[in-house]
């Protein structure tokens, strides 16, 4: 097939998730974050890449897209992968020179230059999600005092009071102040919501880029993202949508979900491309599995919290345990595991892992269990690896399952 990729910006295929670590200093150059260049795709895969090519309209009745400048391009199949953008509409003063997001390479370069030239002393991070917490850690590594302001009552959008309390305690031990329930509607000179600062990072959430699709008559789902089926096809035959602009299915609830993560975007993109080329592949959905490092602490989440599960019609039961990631004689470090299950079916619904080591491995085990609709009874005796340098004989996941079974009765 003849394949053409249209990109509004100048850079393609880069690791946006690495931008906070570029600000922190662990990544020395943004060039390290670029996975592929347009020349690579054209040379190795026969894919034509056009940068600085902004699509302004989809004309599906004519199978054409219109570009800024008046050019029209024909297509047989179309994949929309317009992603998402920071939602700045509700914040006055977001265009000031000391206000930044961490959404693009260009913005990160600007922030890096600002840190070097202006040497700010106090920063406010607006938003308590993944980017907000990563931004706070990056700024602390630069010796800047940080205050996190978030509108909601919880961190990481998890609706989990226990998790928020643990994260708040840890952040404060790292000299990061956390203020929940604080709405930010304006950025004033020298302060935000009464907090003095000379630098502001806006990380209060993103919104899917759906304007092009909506204007073309493509249905937008109840999540606010483009509605797409398990083959990633939209309501208009021959048009597919993938990544942060599209919704998918939650494997625990079975309902449409919009959980914008790079892992999901990559998988959906592969499915959309294959099906646009004539395949019949399906994307099973997501559990919302994610992991973030917060000032040295690994925090992994998957599935539903108790509050989220109750809202979805389950009867949730929770167990929280503290254990060690290795035997004490092998310098085992504290690990916290939270598991949530449905009382009626005993099915696992979600969980959280916090610790310094192997958080990714443990949250991935739990995500696998969710994808396979495992019960707590089955999960309790999983054959997990044990050796003193790596794990205890009773893994913290299994200890948590035993405790959850007691709660279930």
């Amino acid at each position: 097939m003849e394949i053409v990729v249209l990109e509004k910006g100048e850079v393609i295929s880069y690791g946006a998730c690495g931008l906070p670590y570029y600000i922190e200093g662990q990544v020395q150059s943004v060039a390290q974050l670029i996975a592929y260049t347009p020349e690579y795709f054209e040379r190795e895969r026969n894919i034509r890449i056009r940068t600085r090519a902004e699509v302004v309209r989809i004309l599906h009745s004519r199978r054409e897209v219109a570009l800024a400048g008046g050019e029209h391009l024909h297509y047989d199949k179309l994949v929309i992968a317009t992603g998402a953008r920071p939602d700045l509409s509700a914040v006055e003063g977001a265009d000031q020179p000391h206000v930044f997001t961490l959404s693009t390479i260009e913005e990160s370069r600007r922030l890096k230059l600002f840190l070097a030239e202006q040497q700010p002393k106090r920063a406010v991070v607006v938003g308590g999600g993944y980017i907000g917490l990563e931004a706070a850690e990056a700024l602390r590594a630069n010796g800047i005092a940080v205050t996190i302001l978030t509108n909601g009552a919880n961190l990481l959008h998890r609706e989990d009071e226990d998790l928020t309390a643990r994260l708040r305690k840890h952040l404060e031990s790292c000299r990061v102040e956390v203020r929940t329930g604080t709405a930010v509607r304006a950025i004033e000179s020298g302060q935000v919501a009464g907090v003095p600062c000379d630098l502001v990072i806006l990380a209060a959430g993103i919104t899917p880029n759906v304007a092009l699709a909506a204007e073309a008559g493509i249905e937008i789902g109840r999540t606010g993202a483009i509605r797409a089926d398990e083959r990633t096809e939209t309501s208009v035959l021959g048009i597919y949508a993938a990544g942060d602009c599209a919704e998918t299915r939650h494997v625990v609830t079975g309902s449409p979900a919009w959980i914008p993560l790079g892992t999901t975007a990559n998988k959906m993109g592969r499915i959309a491309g294959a099906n646009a080329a004539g395949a019949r592949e399906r994307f099973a959905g997501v559990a919302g599995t994610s992991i973030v490092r917060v000032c040295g602490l690994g925090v992994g989440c998957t599935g539903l919290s108790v509050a989220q599960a109750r809202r979805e019609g389950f009867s949730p039961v929770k167990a929280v345990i503290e254990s060690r990631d290795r035997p004490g004689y092998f310098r085992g470090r504290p690990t916290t595991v939270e598991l949530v299950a449905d009382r009626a079916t005993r099915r696992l619904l979600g969980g959280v892992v916090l610790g310094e080591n192997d958080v990714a491995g443990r949250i991935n085990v739990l995500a696998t269990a969710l994808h396979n609709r495992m019960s707590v009874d089955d999960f309790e005796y999983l054959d997990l690896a044990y050796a003193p340098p790596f794990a205890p004989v009773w893994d913290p996941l299994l200890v948590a399952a035993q405790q959850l079974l007691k709660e279930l009765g």
Side-chain angles (χ1 to χ4, degrees):
M1 298 182 72
E2 178 188 7
I3 303 169
V4 179
V5 176
L6 304 173
E7 165 57 39
K8 178 181 177 180
E10 297 183 6
V11 182
I12 65 163
S13 192
Y14 68 92
C17 295
L19 293 175
Y21 306 106
Y22 167 63
I23 300 303
E24 182 178 346
Q26 286 198 34
V27 177
Q28 299 302 312
S29 167
V30 291
Q32 294 176 264
L33 301 177
I34 298 175
Y36 298 108
T37 64
E39 292 75 21
Y40 169 85
F41 276 111
E42 295 191 16
R43 182 181 67 252
E44 300 294 333
R45 302 188 181 180
N46 196 29
I47 297 172
R48 185 183 176 199
I49 308 289
R50 292 185 55 178
T51 55
R52 299 182 184 176
E54 180 182 0
V55 177
V56 296
R57 196 174 179 192
I58 298 169
L59 305 162
H60 189 63
S61 61
R62 304 198 321 229
R63 297 297 195 276
E64 289 180 347
V65 292
L67 274 59
E71 183 183 358
H72 285 220
L73 287 179
H74 175 80
Y75 65 83
D76 296 309
K77 299 290 179 67
L78 179 67
V79 177
I80 301 174
T82 46
R85 67 184 186 281
D87 186 4
L88 309 179
S89 58
V91 181
E92 293 183 22
D95 57 349
Q96 297 180 68
H98 70 297
V99 182
F100 300 84
T101 65
L102 275 177
S103 56
T104 65
I105 280 181
E106 292 77 12
E107 187 78 344
S108 298
R109 281 175 171 153
R110 189 171 75 87
L111 173 55
K112 192 79 166 178
L113 185 63
F114 183 89
L115 293 175
E117 292 182 348
Q118 303 299 322
Q119 298 185 344
K121 299 293 188 265
R122 291 187 57 86
V124 163
V125 175
V126 181
Y130 306 106
I131 297 299
L133 297 187
E134 288 174 341
E137 180 177 26
L139 295 175
R140 283 296 302 129
N142 281 270
I144 300 170
V146 179
T147 299
I148 295 174
L149 306 178
T150 181
N151 188 32
N154 294 287
L155 297 174
L156 294 181
H157 311 296
R158 183 71 185 174
E159 295 185 63
D160 187 326
E161 293 181 1
D162 287 346
L163 175 61
T164 294
R166 292 174 187 275
L167 287 176
R168 183 195 293 272
K169 182 179 180 181
H170 179 71
L171 285 163
E172 289 176 350
S173 73
C174 300
R175 298 172 61 191
V176 175
E177 184 182 2
V178 178
R179 298 190 185 182
T180 55
T182 304
V184 175
R185 297 183 176 86
I187 299 171
E188 301 174 19
S189 178
Q191 64 95 20
V192 177
V195 180
C197 63
D198 41 15
L199 168 65
V200 180
I201 304 291
L202 292 177
I206 59 176
T207 186
N209 289 319
V210 300
L212 276 174
E215 185 184 7
I218 297 169
E219 184 179 346
I220 306 302
R222 71 185 191 189
T223 67
I226 299 170
R227 187 177 70 79
D229 63 17
E230 63 179 8
R231 298 183 60 245
T232 73
E233 192 164 24
T234 70
S235 60
V236 176
L237 295 179
I239 297 184
Y240 301 81
D244 291 355
C245 66
E247 64 182 25
T248 185
R249 172 182 169 273
H250 199 291
V251 297
V252 177
T253 68
S255 302
W258 182 62
I259 304 176
L261 293 170
T263 50
T264 304
N266 272 269
K267 296 181 184 77
M268 290 183 74
R270 291 181 69 91
I271 298 295
N275 290 338
R280 297 287 299 179
E281 297 186 14
R282 60 182 292 271
F283 183 56
V286 298
T289 308
S290 60
I291 188 169
V292 61
R293 190 187 69 186
V294 182
C295 297
L297 179 70
V299 183
C301 304
T302 191
L304 307 177
S305 68
V306 166
Q308 292 165 334
R310 186 173 292 117
R311 191 169 60 248
E312 292 290 338
F314 296 102
S315 300
V317 177
K318 180 176 78 170
V320 181
I321 63 96
E322 291 188 3
S323 185
R324 288 188 175 272
D325 56 17
R326 290 189 295 260
Y329 62 81
F330 225 100
R331 301 175 299 280
R333 301 293 298 163
T335 293
T336 300
V337 176
E338 173 187 307
L339 294 182
V340 179
D342 179 44
R343 182 178 294 280
T345 63
R346 305 173 74 86
R347 175 187 166 197
L348 280 166
L349 302 177
V352 175
V353 179
L354 298 92
E356 296 179 20
N357 300 306
D358 204 24
V359 172
R362 290 189 169 94
I363 204 66
N364 286 341
V365 169
L366 183 53
T368 302
L370 297 185
H371 274 265
N372 287 279
R373 304 175 66 88
M374 290 184 68
S375 69
V376 187
D377 305 84
D378 293 332
F379 190 79
E380 179 191 14
Y381 288 111
L382 282 180
D383 186 15
L384 303 183
Y386 158 65
F390 304 104
V393 66
W394 282 102
D395 191 272
L397 287 175
L398 305 185
V399 176
Q402 292 167 352
Q403 183 61 38
L404 185 54
L405 285 170
K406 294 178 183 178
E407 301 293 336
L408 287 167

